[in-house]
Amino acid sequence: ARALARNPHVKFAEVDTIVSASATTNDPILPQEWQITKIGASTAWNTSTGAGIVVAVLDSGVQSNHPDLQANLVPGWNIYNNNNLTNDVNGHGTAVAGTIAAVGNDAIGVAGVAYRAKIMPVRISDAACNTTLSLIASGLTWAADHGADIANISYSNLYKSSTVISAANYLRNKGGETVVSANNNAINEGSANTTSMITVSATDQNDNKASFSSWGPMVDVAAPGVTVQTTLWNSGYGWGTGTSFSTPVVAGTVALIMSANPSLTPAQVENVLFSTATNLGAA
């Protein structure tokens, strides 16, 4: 990496590293979606439900026959194995996808924040939900080239990676948004903010920072991330806790904004998101 960094033809070089998902789901419980009420999604649904927007979920895959997801799925790609098999191998991706766009108004299960948006499953991980920065960047590029408007990546430390930032800028230059997790380290990560992606920390039912959530200059917005009700990969329902779930709450919100006005630039979308978020006071 040091040698390549001195090459004038190379923009940057960094060692590829393994990264893990920001959370895992717990056992199924009855759906009680406090996050929908907290962010006022039901009010937004009077104007927008996410129709016409494609959200790429870069994760462990998505359960293709989940009764509350299958109607909203569009073809994706398995970056990890380089094939079209995108079924979930862990469960994390199915829970993230349901938070964004579980089918709403269908008399079953839960409703995603943007329940008429489409989910594009992009599998980037192994069965333990681990992946690498280069696989994530490849998944982002693939999604950008295949019609994704938004990419949700509920994985750690992505705002620290030049490789992922570069791929996120590629999507942004096509008019898209990348939404990533702040981490679950309960520390100030101290990382600089980047305009290439929206970085999300987690709050609880009382609008307090979740005990596990990282914070710092890289964070753009916080969202519900404690016992978020969603779809599970056994065709069931339950909850997930972590910035892995506050991130798709924001991705779903971005889908509502884009659906309401598809002509908005990424900067304008972010202005709507940040200017209308609840101000909880000093950082």
Side-chain angles (χ1 to χ4, degrees):
R2 286 194 297 270
L4 285 167
R6 292 193 292 268
N7 186 326
H9 302 292
V10 175
K11 185 174 182 180
F12 63 82
E14 68 178 349
V15 177
D16 199 11
T17 61
I18 296 172
V19 293
S20 59
S22 299
T24 57
T25 56
N26 207 319
D27 296 327
I29 60 174
L30 292 174
Q32 298 171 345
E33 295 181 274
W34 71 272
Q35 73 271 17
I36 296 294
T37 302
K38 177 62 70 173
I39 69 170
S42 56
T43 302
W45 292 340
N46 293 324
T47 303
S48 172
T49 54
I53 302 301
V54 176
V55 184
V57 174
L58 278 66
D59 216 294
S60 60
V62 176
Q63 182 186 337
S64 61
N65 62 348
H66 195 293
D68 225 359
L69 290 172
Q70 57 185 352
N72 278 348
L73 291 176
V74 298
W77 192 250
N78 183 335
I79 300 293
Y80 189 82
N81 290 320
N82 194 30
N83 60 38
N84 62 358
L85 304 178
T86 59
N87 213 23
D88 203 340
V89 294
N90 176 274
H92 189 266
T94 297
V96 167
T99 307
I100 299 168
V103 179
N105 203 29
D106 61 351
I108 60 169
V110 295
V113 174
Y115 65 79
R116 286 186 179 159
K118 297 299 184 182
I119 292 293
M120 174 190 287
V122 180
R123 185 184 153 196
I124 54 167
S125 82
D126 61 16
C129 221
N130 292 319
T131 186
T132 63
L133 300 175
S134 56
L135 284 170
I136 289 172
S138 294
L140 256 177
T141 302
W142 189 94
D145 287 340
H146 290 81
D149 301 294
I150 301 164
N152 184 98
I153 322 176
S154 291
Y155 277 74
S156 57
N157 294 321
L158 304 188
Y159 46 81
K160 301 178 182 181
S161 167
S162 297
T163 305
V164 177
I165 288 172
S166 180
N169 279 328
Y170 181 71
L171 175 59
R172 185 180 177 86
N173 289 337
K174 289 177 173 281
E177 295 277 8
T178 301
V179 189
V180 305
S181 303
N183 289 357
N184 297 332
N185 295 327
I187 61 171
N188 184 342
E189 298 283 351
S191 295
N193 192 269
T194 172
T195 58
S196 63
M197 55 185 67
I198 298 170
T199 302
V200 184
S201 60
T203 48
D204 63 18
Q205 290 91 331
N206 297 312
D207 278 345
N208 295 314
K209 186 188 75 66
S211 60
F212 53 80
S213 181
S214 294
W215 71 93
M218 76 290 178
V219 172
D220 295 298
V221 68
V226 178
T227 60
V228 171
Q229 309 304 317
T230 186
T231 49
L232 298 184
W233 70 329
N234 60 359
S235 296
Y237 304 90
W239 56 266
T241 288
T243 53
S244 270
F245 298 95
S246 55
T247 301
V249 169
V250 171
T253 305
V254 172
L256 295 180
I257 296 168
M258 286 184 167
S259 178
N261 188 349
S263 68
L264 294 177
T265 67
Q268 290 171 327
V269 169
E270 291 156 11
N271 182 62
V272 172
L273 178 69
F274 302 151
S275 67
T276 60
T278 302
N279 188 340
L280 298 178

